[in-house]
Amino acid sequence: MRQEGHRRTWGLLAGVSALAVALRSTAFVNWTAAKGHLRLAVDASSASGHPSVSGQDLILRRLGRTALMAEGSSASALPGAGKKLLVLGGNGYVGREVSRLAVKRGYSVTSLSRRGENPEPDDEFLSQVRWVQGDATDFETVKQLTSENDAAVHAVGLLFDANSGLANLNLIVSGSKSTPGETSTYDNISRKTAFNLIEAVKQKMRMPFSEPVPVLFVSAAEAGWLEVPFGKEVDAVAPGWLKEYLVAKRAVEEKIQSTPDVIRPVIFRPSLIWSWEKLDVLPLIPVFNLANTVGVPFVDKTVTVSTLSKSIIAALEDKDVSGVQRFMQMEQLETQVE
């Protein structure tokens, strides 16, 4: 009876954690006016046939040169200036926030996804992303894009795969409202796409003695169950679909850390990812945060999609960051990004 009671307890806890995974998946004004006046003045001078420049025009031209120099200096001062970032799954819930923030910080961003569409066409930063439609399970596609970029973020996510029996729930819980096809399994979407990226980075042409390529992977807090007290027991009684999900995540975590001389691996293990716009997860946030606060070792504190995306960018820019990042490391990294 006691063993059965323990098993029911672990089963209940595993069920709650499984639900978490399911719900996992955000100065130049005066110059502009002056620039307009300058253009009018120059046009008027050209139209009249007088090549001479008035004192006012000369001042405006000097103002223009000064402002242009300031604009150029400001752009070059951005952390990502001159750098190219590839985001696999850039139009998803996490990927779009990473892409948006990367553009703000000066990166040239390319997103690869099945749709290849900007999820927010009116967003001034996402409109600067290069949206590529393609299949990340195709190695040659990933290899080509990897060769064109300096770093990569893997944010391809799948909550319920084609074999889970729960695929239709993606329309409710998925941030991008995507639905899996027949080949959309955890092994294909999580493991194979990441393995393609890792292999593409390894095959990429690199200068001798160059620094490892930053590759940042969005995993899951539950992938670390085997490393915490009582985690093995919870893992053992987890639903079948969750076990398959974690098998894929753990395989990628192991693979990405296997060649530190070529890849600087950064693995993010978020628990529940949320934002105020994602109403489906809001009721569970205090539950998980309370469980973590009172010391339940296999339940991590929730993180906002903003915290996660900022920590990804911070880790991208900080060469000393590598390995697994749990919620406490994410919160610390977030402070490095304004």
Side-chain angles (χ1 to χ4, degrees):
M1 292 292 290
R2 181 175 298 178
Q3 291 180 348
E4 180 64 23
H6 286 325
R7 184 172 181 83
R8 289 179 179 176
T9 300
W10 293 126
L12 177 60
L13 292 172
V16 173
S17 297
L19 182 59
V21 177
L23 294 175
R24 183 182 310 284
S25 293
T26 337
F28 294 122
V29 173
N30 291 336
W31 155 236
T32 302
K35 186 164 58 176
H37 290 307
L38 175 59
R39 184 179 295 109
L40 289 174
V42 173
D43 290 346
S45 176
S46 300
S48 62
H50 299 296
S52 61
V53 180
S54 68
Q56 181 180 7
D57 288 343
L58 184 59
I59 292 174
L60 289 174
R61 288 187 180 184
R62 288 177 177 173
L63 173 62
R65 286 196 295 269
T66 301
L68 285 173
M69 290 175 64
E71 287 183 2
S73 176
S74 176
S76 63
L78 292 172
K83 299 177 183 178
K84 298 180 179 181
L85 176 66
L86 172 63
V87 181
L88 299 190
N91 62 351
Y93 182 52
V94 174
R96 77 182 64 177
E97 294 302 321
V98 172
S99 299
R100 190 189 339 258
L101 185 57
V103 170
K104 287 182 180 180
R105 295 178 71 80
Y107 291 89
S108 175
V109 179
T110 296
S111 164
L112 173 64
S113 64
R114 288 187 303 164
R115 299 175 184 174
E117 299 175 350
N118 183 351
E120 300 177 34
D122 295 331
D123 186 276
E124 64 171 309
F125 299 107
L126 292 182
S127 64
Q128 299 177 51
V129 173
R130 176 191 174 199
W131 299 97
V132 177
Q133 181 181 14
D135 184 0
T137 64
D138 177 65
F139 176 69
E140 292 302 322
T141 297
V142 177
K143 181 180 178 181
Q144 177 60 41
L145 293 176
T146 300
S147 68
E148 301 170 0
N149 289 273
D150 305 309
V153 174
H154 186 285
V156 179
L158 181 65
L159 300 177
F160 298 111
D161 77 351
N163 298 328
S164 67
L166 303 169
N168 289 335
L169 291 180
N170 285 290
L171 291 172
I172 301 174
V173 299
S174 171
S176 61
K177 306 303 180 186
S178 62
T179 54
E182 293 182 0
T183 61
S184 298
T185 63
Y186 296 128
D187 187 67
N188 276 336
I189 302 303
S190 294
R191 186 196 63 80
K192 188 174 182 179
T193 59
F195 273 36
N196 281 347
L197 175 60
I198 293 167
E199 185 59 31
V201 171
K202 290 167 65 175
Q203 293 186 20
K204 182 179 179 180
M205 293 291 293
R206 299 169 62 241
M207 296 294 291
F209 310 109
S210 60
E211 296 181 342
V213 176
V215 179
L216 304 97
F217 174 63
V218 180
S219 185
E222 296 76 18
W225 272 349
L226 303 181
E227 304 166 11
V228 300
F230 308 114
K232 292 181 180 179
E233 289 81 357
V234 176
D235 192 82
V237 295
W241 64 266
L242 179 54
K243 289 181 179 179
E244 292 298 318
Y245 175 89
L246 295 179
V247 165
K249 292 289 190 182
R250 289 166 181 160
V252 176
E253 288 192 6
E254 181 179 1
K255 182 75 170 180
I256 201 174
Q257 298 181 87
S258 63
T259 52
D261 56 324
V262 178
I263 292 175
R264 174 166 66 87
V266 189
I267 299 165
F268 295 87
R269 286 182 179 170
S271 177
L272 196 63
I273 307 170
W274 65 280
S275 61
W276 291 111
E277 295 79 18
K278 207 168 186 297
L279 300 178
D280 55 322
V281 303
L282 294 182
L284 283 177
I285 294 170
V287 177
F288 278 80
N289 289 347
L290 178 60
N292 177 260
T293 299
V294 300
V296 178
F298 48 83
V299 178
D300 275 9
K301 180 182 176 183
T302 64
V303 297
T304 65
V305 69
S306 175
T307 294
L308 177 56
S309 60
K310 286 182 178 180
S311 66
I312 289 173
I313 295 299
L316 170 65
E317 297 173 354
D318 190 337
K319 298 177 182 179
D320 294 328
V321 178
S322 64
V324 173
Q325 312 296 310
R326 291 180 62 189
F327 72 90
M328 59 283 276
Q329 287 85 23
M330 291 183 227
E331 291 177 343
Q332 185 175 18
L333 285 168
E334 178 187 21
T335 64
Q336 300 179 25
V337 177
E338 297 180 358

